[in-house]
Amino acid sequence: MLTLFLRRLFMLIPLLIGISLISFLVIHCAPGKPTDMQLQLNQKVSLQVRERLEKLYGLDKPLMTQYVMWVKRLIRLDFGNSFIDNRPVIDKIKERIPITLTINILSLMLILIIAVPIGVLSAVYQESLFDRAMTVFVFIGFAMPTFWLALLLMKFFSVTLQLLPVSGITSIDFENYSFMGKVIDYSRHLFLPIIISAFTGLAGLSRYMRTSMIHVLQQDYIRTAKAKGLTMAKVYFYHALKNALLPVITILGMSIPGLIAGSVIAESIFAIPGMGKLYYDAVMSRDYAVIMAILVIGAFLTLMGNLLADLAYFIADPRIRVGPCE
Amino acid sequence: MAILTLKDITKKYLFKNSFFSFYSGEIKAVDGVCLELEEGKTLGLVGESGCGKSTLANIILKLIEPTTGEVFFNGKEITQVREKEFRPLRRQIQIVFQDPYSSLSLRLRVKDIIAEPLEACLMEKNKILERVKELIAQVGLGQEYLVRFPHQLSGGQRQRVGIARALATSPRVLVLDEAVSSLDLSTQAQIINLLIRLQEQYKLSYLFIAHDLSLVRFVSDTVAVMYKGIIFEKGPTEMIYDNPAHPYTKLLLNSIPSFEKSLKNRKDRYMIKQDFSLNKSEKFFGCSFYQNCPKPMPCCEKQMPGLKEIGKNHFVSCFCYE
């Protein structure tokens, strides 16, 4: 069990090297350079200045040398400095990550709280009015363009009802609020982004839950549980749900990298200074250091998420579990 | 007085030939079955695979609903009763399922599997473990099996867990759906002896579904022979075995291998020549055994014979006795 885990952990290293190499090459293949922003605005810049700037960033060296340099720094967990404002990349990410993480964790929790019951009830009352209504509901969410829904809700809640602020994450006089006031201010600003990202993400999990539950409900041991004289609630939520939740664990594992990757569209619309915005700006200005840092962190989290999902599987399923029982 | 009475139970299943076809037919898995199970007695139910024995068992347990017909438990009709009101009765009617592999929850330990029906009928916590230990010993498994998971047990061991689970609440009626078929002979004897002892002790009633005819003869007080959802013959065990009336019963009993004469040399050995197209067609109203009957008569093709009493409590559904 432990050796298996360590072996899987060890296997991550070549994977990470592969992923980073490919993304490094692809990013550098894109037209334009990070120095363009500083140079193109000023047409009179001489060739020497241009060369000096490129040398400063190490852009004059061959691509492979640049990659090796980047990896050497990465091993010391140094993501380098941003090409744009010369601040350490890690600081830039640090100040963006809390807000994105908050939105994504809250919306994932909301999705779980809503999608699991929807899936279970849809399976138990299969083909009922409830099931059909929920199918339509979650697919509307799935198919709805985020920006359009966001704009509609903004107009309704902020303009028509004047209940919520339009955008941003804090009010102008935020500094003067008490602690509770700050919490309330945050929640008022984050309400719409969280609701929207939960609504659009509902379909996948609830559908998965429904299918998985329907499959489990057809099993013989569910019939046994009924024959035992257990209450229906116990049959459904103890015997069936326990087994039906297994595939959902995989989905949760896969959503871990999504937690730090912000949504570019939603963050742009609500003017939220999150990871999505940072990444988008970095790509547009060819800020290699920032791009590579986000990509590598994302890749690492994806791999860790898969590993964790497998690990959770081990723990949840007694048949996979190895070793003596008690 | 009969503790369990089945009255005219019919279960139809609709089927479609293909996704796009508008024609859909129906199959009668169980067709007009009437049976009585006396308190403290054993009713043997025999018949070939797919004749509706297990469907009947599930109907008695109220796990599937019959299309028509009534089930009386202790004089009370139960098919129309709502699940919530029926639940207290569940501890009195228990079942041992046929498939020991899929019918045990794979995430529960043996002790939890056996304890659950006890928890469901609100037994006190400290008494439950005692009862579970007693049960596991009764079915001949050691205490060390209590902490195992079903996947760590063999088929026979699982089946014994299933039997222990069914016995847990001391039911009055126990439906044994091929309960001992997967056990080796020594365990089979042990379980059968346990069942007989419990029957004598607590006046349990068994519905014993099996295909082992010698075993059925050994345990049953009355026997019912089923074919394609219909009861062909029922009566006291001795009468059925010594004096079978229906041609199908005769064929079945003749198929029991014996040392005296080998199957090959028997002239009247049972040959199945089932034609499913005839079975599904709705136009055929005759006897469902018509095609396989050694002595068909012209009237057999026109309608299904009803059950007719030919001896004391001995019923047969065949035109030979009309």
Side-chain angles (χ1 to χ4, degrees):
Chain A
M1 171 80 206
L2 190 71
T3 41
L4 192 80
F5 180 71
L6 287 176
R7 200 189 311 155
R8 287 286 306 272
L9 211 58
F10 191 70
M11 282 289 291
L12 294 186
I13 296 169
L15 269 173
L16 271 176
I17 292 176
I19 292 171
S20 63
L21 188 60
I22 291 173
S23 23
F24 197 83
L25 292 178
V26 168
I27 290 297
H28 282 259
C29 285
K33 281 183 174 170
T35 48
D36 288 353
M37 281 295 256
Q38 293 172 45
L39 302 178
Q40 272 169 358
L41 292 175
N42 191 347
Q43 294 295 329
K44 289 176 199 151
V45 176
S46 68
L47 208 61
Q48 283 94 331
V49 173
R50 184 181 297 235
E51 273 173 3
R52 206 173 63 218
L53 208 54
E54 284 186 357
K55 198 163 188 169
L56 180 70
Y57 292 133
L59 293 172
D60 54 337
K61 300 200 177 65
L63 212 50
M64 271 300 123
T65 323
Q66 285 188 43
Y67 178 71
V68 171
M69 276 167 57
W70 177 77
V71 170
K72 270 184 189 160
R73 270 194 318 237
L74 186 67
I75 290 170
R76 283 177 271 127
L77 286 180
D78 175 12
F79 287 105
N81 292 350
S82 166
F83 290 156
I84 302 304
D85 49 15
N86 215 20
R87 290 175 53 212
V89 172
I90 202 79
D91 288 352
K92 290 186 86 161
I93 292 179
K94 253 187 212 157
E95 67 194 30
R96 298 297 186 102
I97 233 169
I99 187 68
T100 300
L101 214 52
T102 312
I103 293 180
N104 285 335
I105 287 180
L106 286 177
S107 89
L108 185 68
M109 273 162 61
L110 199 62
I111 288 176
L112 274 179
I113 290 169
I114 300 174
V116 170
I118 286 182
V120 170
L121 291 175
S122 298
V124 171
Y125 302 107
Q126 202 184 337
E127 301 296 316
S128 66
L129 188 68
F130 174 82
D131 183 22
R132 281 155 207 261
M134 280 304 140
T135 306
V136 173
F137 175 72
V138 297
F139 277 111
I140 285 178
F142 187 60
M144 184 90 73
T146 318
F147 64 92
W148 186 67
L149 181 68
L151 289 174
L152 280 187
L153 288 181
M154 265 160 101
K155 181 174 183 296
F156 182 69
F157 281 104
S158 312
V159 182
T160 315
L161 294 182
Q162 304 256 322
L163 275 176
L164 298 169
V166 179
S167 63
I169 52 163
T170 50
S171 303
I172 301 162
D173 47 355
F174 182 72
E175 295 302 319
N176 309 331
Y177 287 166
S178 65
F179 176 72
M180 271 318 286
K182 281 180 179 174
V183 171
I184 290 170
D185 193 49
Y186 265 133
S187 27
R188 272 162 48 86
H189 279 90
L190 294 183
F191 181 77
L192 278 183
I194 288 171
I195 292 289
I196 285 165
S197 103
F199 184 51
T200 49
L202 215 52
L205 198 68
S206 71
R207 286 273 107 181
Y208 224 108
M209 196 64 234
R210 178 178 180 271
T211 316
S212 165
M213 189 77 179
I214 285 174
H215 174 75
V216 170
L217 285 179
Q218 287 163 350
Q219 301 296 312
D220 280 353
Y221 55 81
I222 297 301
R223 187 183 59 181
T224 310
K226 275 184 203 165
K228 277 179 180 176
L230 303 179
T231 58
M232 280 332 212
K234 197 157 186 215
V235 173
Y236 292 142
F237 288 97
Y238 184 65
H239 282 258
L241 186 61
K242 229 173 150 187
N243 290 292
L245 271 177
L246 267 182
V248 176
I249 293 176
T250 319
I251 305 228
L252 284 183
M254 288 193 288
S255 64
I256 286 180
L259 287 182
I260 70 137
S263 150
V264 175
I265 297 172
E267 285 182 6
S268 305
I269 289 177
F270 287 102
I272 293 167
M275 292 290 284
K277 196 85 178 39
L278 177 70
Y279 186 61
Y280 177 76
D281 292 342
V283 170
M284 290 323 274
S285 56
R286 303 287 182 273
D287 192 348
Y288 296 149
V290 174
I291 298 173
M292 283 311 294
I294 294 179
L295 283 179
V296 165
I297 293 174
F300 180 72
L301 285 179
T302 308
L303 297 174
M304 284 313 281
N306 283 338
L307 192 61
L308 281 180
D310 284 355
L311 207 64
Y313 239 91
F314 273 117
I315 294 165
D317 194 336
R319 284 171 310 171
I320 310 177
R321 211 182 295 160
V322 203
C325 288
E326 296 186 14
Chain B
M1 194 205 130
I3 186 154
L4 193 71
T5 310
L6 307 185
K7 223 167 152 189
D8 217 15
I9 297 287
T10 300
K11 178 71 189 175
K12 291 177 190 169
Y13 284 106
L14 298 175
F15 68 88
K16 256 181 166 182
N17 285 331
S18 76
F19 184 75
F20 294 105
S21 71
F22 289 103
Y23 170 78
S24 57
E26 56 179 37
I27 277 190
K28 286 180 176 171
V30 176
D31 189 1
V33 166
C34 299
L35 285 175
E36 294 88 38
L37 176 56
E38 299 292 327
E39 179 149 29
K41 294 282 185 326
T42 302
L43 169 62
L45 185 59
V46 294
E48 59 196 36
S49 307
C51 73
K53 292 171 294 182
S54 293
T55 310
L56 202 60
N58 284 335
I59 288 173
I60 293 170
L61 267 288
K62 213 169 135 61
L63 294 171
I64 49 181
E65 210 154 289
T67 314
T68 57
E70 292 162 307
V71 178
F72 292 94
F73 172 71
N74 217 5
K76 191 172 180 249
E77 212 287 316
I78 56 171
T79 57
Q80 299 301 318
V81 176
R82 293 179 57 184
E83 178 63 35
K84 210 172 172 182
E85 292 150 39
F86 182 65
R87 200 169 301 127
L89 285 180
R90 284 213 181 272
R91 91 183 65 156
Q92 300 187 26
I93 315 175
Q94 282 290 331
I95 182 170
V96 180
F97 288 108
Q98 182 171 8
D99 184 353
Y101 287 92
S102 59
S103 55
L104 298 180
S105 179
L106 39 101
R107 330 187 110 273
L108 295 185
R109 292 175 195 279
V110 167
K111 62 173 180 216
D112 299 320
I113 291 173
I114 302 176
E116 235 183 1
L118 297 169
E119 284 161 14
C121 66
L122 305 173
M123 200 185 199
E124 286 164 53
K125 276 255 158 61
N126 47 357
K127 282 187 188 163
I128 287 180
L129 191 66
E130 228 169 274
R131 175 86 178 127
V132 169
K133 281 180 178 163
E134 179 190 326
L135 284 161
I136 199 92
Q138 274 184 340
V139 294
L141 289 177
Q143 305 288 321
E144 71 270 18
Y145 286 95
L146 285 176
V147 292
R148 303 231 173 131
F149 284 103
H151 72 274
Q152 295 166 316
L153 305 181
S154 74
Q157 289 167 337
R158 283 159 173 247
Q159 192 61 290
R160 282 188 265 178
V161 171
I163 292 169
R165 189 219 81 229
L167 289 173
T169 52
S170 319
R172 293 177 69 190
V173 173
L174 188 58
V175 178
L176 296 145
D177 188 358
E178 305 271 14
V180 291
S181 312
S182 62
L183 303 178
D184 59 274
L185 284 177
S186 57
T187 319
Q188 212 172 58
Q190 187 195 347
I191 296 291
I192 294 290
N193 286 332
L194 168 72
L195 291 174
I196 291 174
R197 205 178 67 234
L198 288 172
Q199 183 162 52
E200 284 163 358
Q201 230 168 355
Y202 303 108
K203 281 190 87 182
L204 290 188
S205 318
Y206 297 134
L207 175 60
F208 194 85
I209 299 173
H211 51 238
D212 184 341
L213 292 166
S214 342
L215 191 61
V216 170
R217 180 177 201 167
F218 178 67
V219 297
S220 306
D221 298 296
T222 47
V223 171
V225 180
M226 204 169 172
Y227 182 80
K228 285 187 183 171
I230 296 166
I231 300 290
F232 271 174
E233 186 168 3
K234 62 180 178 185
T237 309
E238 293 314 311
M239 227 182 270
I240 300 275
Y241 275 82
D242 296 339
N243 210 357
H246 197 281
Y248 177 63
T249 318
K250 288 177 190 167
L251 286 174
L252 264 188
L253 292 177
N254 253 320
S255 315
I256 302 176
S258 73
F259 291 112
E260 282 97 57
K261 35 184 185 173
S262 82
L263 268 175
K264 275 185 198 160
N265 302 332
R266 255 187 263 177
K267 280 176 196 155
D268 53 352
R269 70 197 151 111
Y270 180 29
M271 298 288 285
I272 304 176
K273 34 179 182 184
Q274 274 174 327
D275 183 2
F276 283 103
S277 62
L278 193 60
N279 184 26
K280 282 180 185 176
S281 120
E282 285 165 283
K283 284 171 195 134
F284 187 74
F285 296 110
C287 176
S288 49
F289 193 56
Y290 177 71
Q291 284 183 307
N292 291 320
C293 190
K295 294 176 277 185
M297 295 186 289
C299 56
C300 297
E301 208 175 340
K302 295 194 185 75
Q303 69 184 103
M304 183 69 213
L307 274 177
K308 198 172 158 55
E309 191 163 10
I310 57 160
K312 191 173 179 286
N313 286 328
H314 187 179
F315 294 84
V316 173
S317 155
C318 183
F319 282 120
C320 304
Y321 301 94
E322 288 284 315

